[in-house]
Amino acid sequence: MSTYMYKTKDQNPIDAVKTVLSAMLAKSQVDAVFVAARTPYAKLPMPALITSADKMDDVDPLAPAAPLNAARQASSILKYETGKKIALVLRPCEERALIELVKLNQCDIGNAVIIGMTCMGRMENGTYLKCLDDHEDLSISFYVKPDLQAHITTTCKSCDKFLSPNADITIDVTGMKDGIIGFLPQSEKGETLLSGLYLAREKTSTYREKTIEDMLKTRQKEKEQVMKAAKALLNPLENFQKTVATCLNCYNCRTACPVCYCKECVFLTDIFAHKPEVLFQRAKKKGAIKLPQDTSMFHLTRLSHMAHACVGCGHCSSVCPSGIPVADMFRAVAEEVQRLYQYEPGKDMHERPPYIAYREKNTFIEQGEDR
Amino acid sequence: MEQFEPKIIALVCNWCTYTAADLAGTSRLQYPANIRMIRMMCTGMIDSKYILKAFLSGADGVFVGGCHPGDCHYIDGNLKAGKRIPGVGKILEQFGFEPDRLKLKWIGASEGPEFQKYMTEFVDTIKTLGPSQVRDRMIL
Ligand code: SF4
Ligand code: SF4
Ligand code: FES
């Protein structure tokens, strides 16, 4: 919407973000800020709910790490209308997941201010901590040094949705190699907020567009390769058996999934808690079975529940204790399912998910086609 | 060589396709014995798990039969099926199951001959495709 951005004067980027967020609180533009911050107990940033402008010291949304997709935590604060105005600093994949949760009536963001970012990616937790050992200022140097950027996750490397189109404000990091950070208003709401903060207003840098264009090219190319490799992990089914051979059925991937929101997940019900007789019967049928059972059933069922809504954040891979590339597989399947339903999760707040809008766009019904 | 006799699971709606099957029976219309029919109250209650489980347990094909659009006894259960089942098929396809192994058809209660025809056609299709990849593998 806008061709100009706001910036703070001569501050390092992290301080600039803190200045803007604290000013929003101090001026009572918002009641609280939801943003990644270091805690006294860990170097990895976790989502924090901050209500006091002087508690901004450890805020670190630019850290190239995210132990979880913050959408579900954000939705727990926005479960229902509380009358509180909250500014949420989210990565693009978190924003998309939050939008899906809104559509599923899990939360309400009518009163929220979404602050997105031009996302350069995140590292796996371990990688981040290792890099932090050598670079104390990692949240800044990451944006300056391409060799550090090379450490982001496979999913991030191949993510082509690194912008925050639905945010009210975007934190623009594309100028960080020159030490500049910008705040781009993307909605009326964002514009009003930023203009009330007395920041310097200037034209958007020309390299923003160029940087985004280059990034998109690289990422799309990478995505093609990752998706192609992923297909071979699934098809034929025997390949998939190899891919998930050491799956523990721990359901970490499901827990980490921001769009797997069910209060009572079917995998935690009696349906999958088999009696010994059932296991004996299965063993007898084939002569031998592997335990845990139902690994394939788990992954395929979960896909049938959420593939249309997969935002491709990669957190399922990050949390897998067996190093299974869950995200690569799920993204590859999701791409096909989303193409089938012509549905892009997180893109449009008003577009209803396919299984809710089953009366609409039902070509199968309309044309009397059969499967 | 022994001829391949596919195992096919048919999930059919009580109010239409199942009644059509009955009609086919009383009219002495023969259809292949490969079909294992499971009566459902409506296609809208067919959980994706039923289809996935059937395939992962070695079914060579799954047939879903429901009421024609507009005729569903629960108003729009068949529309839900019409939306959901192609998605399940798309997922199965990614794991190497041929799309033709999953079929959804609307068969009304009076359509005994149609029932016979679709079943025969489906069994033929599956016979051409051959046994499912799950058959003699250790699929877990
Ligand atoms: S796996 Fe299925 S049932 Fe479990 S939380 Fe996800 S969507 Fe819900
Ligand atoms: S996190 Fe990994 S081991 Fe655990 S259920 Fe998911 S794929 Fe299996
Ligand atoms: S009652 Fe037959 S499909 Fe719903």
Side-chain angles (χ1 to χ4, degrees), chain A residues 330-371:
Chain A
F330 273 49
R331 283 172 74 207
V333 178
E335 198 174 51
E336 297 297 332
V337 172
Q338 292 169 12
R339 183 174 306 137
L340 171 77
Y341 289 125
Q342 294 164 37
Y343 182 73
E344 203 184 311
K347 185 182 167 201
D348 177 358
M349 190 85 73
H350 305 289
E351 187 185 5
R352 301 194 306 149
Y355 300 131
I356 294 179
Y358 60 91
R359 287 164 164 282
E360 296 143 40
K361 280 206 260 178
N362 203 325
T363 48
F364 182 86
I365 305 286
E366 281 156 19
Q367 301 168 7
E369 275 172 25
D370 51 2
R371 185 184 148 96

Side-chain angles (χ1 to χ4, degrees), chain A residues 244 246-254 295 298-299 316 319-324 326:
Chain A
V244 295
T246 53
C247 172
L248 321 178
N249 282 26
C250 67
Y251 306 152
N252 273 4
C253 45
R254 188 221 43 159
T295 303
F298 163 60
H299 289 287
C316 44
V319 296
C320 179
S322 294
I324 296 166
V326 192

Side-chain angles (χ1 to χ4, degrees), chain A residues 83-104:
Chain A
K84 297 249 187 292
K85 202 166 176 188
I86 303 172
L88 304 138
V89 185
L90 299 171
R91 288 175 188 279
C93 53
E94 297 173 327
E95 175 191 306
R96 291 197 296 278
L98 188 64
I99 289 175
E100 286 307 294
L101 292 173
V102 171
K103 293 181 191 174
L104 293 161

Side-chain angles (χ1 to χ4, degrees), chain B residues 13-16 41-44 65-67 71-78 106:
Chain B
C13 164
N14 174 58
W15 302 105
C16 50
M41 285 315 283
C42 172
T43 52
C67 308
D71 288 351
C72 173
H73 285 231
Y74 306 96
I75 302 170
D76 55 10
N78 50 0
W106 312 130

Side-chain angles (χ1 to χ4, degrees), chain A residues 90-155:
Chain A
L90 299 171
R91 288 175 188 279
C93 53
E94 297 173 327
E95 175 191 306
R96 291 197 296 278
L98 188 64
I99 289 175
E100 286 307 294
L101 292 173
V102 171
K103 293 181 191 174
L104 293 161
N105 289 330
Q106 296 304 297
C107 57
D108 181 345
I109 56 170
N111 226 350
V113 179
I114 310 280
I115 304 179
M117 61 181 85
T118 317
C119 186
M120 304 291 225
R122 66 174 173 94
M123 301 175 181
E124 300 293 5
N125 294 350
T127 318
Y128 172 77
L129 292 172
K130 232 184 268 153
C131 289
L132 203 56
D133 282 344
D134 302 326
H135 302 84
E136 221 182 297
D137 64 342
L138 189 55
S139 301
I140 294 171
S141 49
F142 171 74
Y143 296 90
V144 182
K145 297 189 173 136
D147 57 315
L148 283 174
Q149 289 164 13
H151 292 305
I152 59 174
T153 68
T154 316
T155 314

Side-chain angles (χ1 to χ4, degrees), chain A residues 231 234-238 240-241 266 271-272 282 285-286 288-290 293-297 300-301 303-305 307 332-333 336-337 340-341 354-355 357-362 364-365 369-371, chain B residues 47-50 52-53 56-58 69 75-100 102-106 133-134 137-140:
Chain A
K231 298 219 155 141
L234 308 170
N235 189 351
L237 194 61
E238 197 163 32
F240 176 65
Q241 297 302 298
V266 62
I271 296 178
F272 289 92
R282 288 190 185 179
K285 189 175 158 206
K286 294 190 173 179
I289 52 166
K290 177 218 71 162
Q293 273 279 286
D294 299 322
T295 303
S296 299
M297 194 58 194
L300 268 79
T301 305
L303 276 167
S304 80
H305 291 182
V333 178
E336 297 297 332
V337 172
L340 171 77
Y341 289 125
Y355 300 131
Y358 60 91
R359 287 164 164 282
E360 296 143 40
K361 280 206 260 178
N362 203 325
F364 182 86
I365 305 286
E369 275 172 25
D370 51 2
R371 185 184 148 96
Chain B
D47 193 310
S48 50
K49 282 197 299 298
Y50 304 168
L52 298 172
K53 176 76 188 166
L56 290 175
S57 306
I75 302 170
D76 55 10
N78 50 0
L79 303 192
K80 290 179 184 161
K83 192 83 178 195
R84 186 188 295 138
I85 289 170
V88 178
K90 188 52 89 184
I91 292 169
L92 283 162
E93 210 180 307
Q94 308 313 307
F95 293 85
F97 291 93
E98 297 85 345
D100 285 346
L102 176 59
K103 188 110 193 141
L104 173 56
K105 275 281 183 197
W106 312 130
Q133 52 176 334
V134 177
R137 301 252 182 268
M138 180 94 157
I139 299 301
L140 310 161

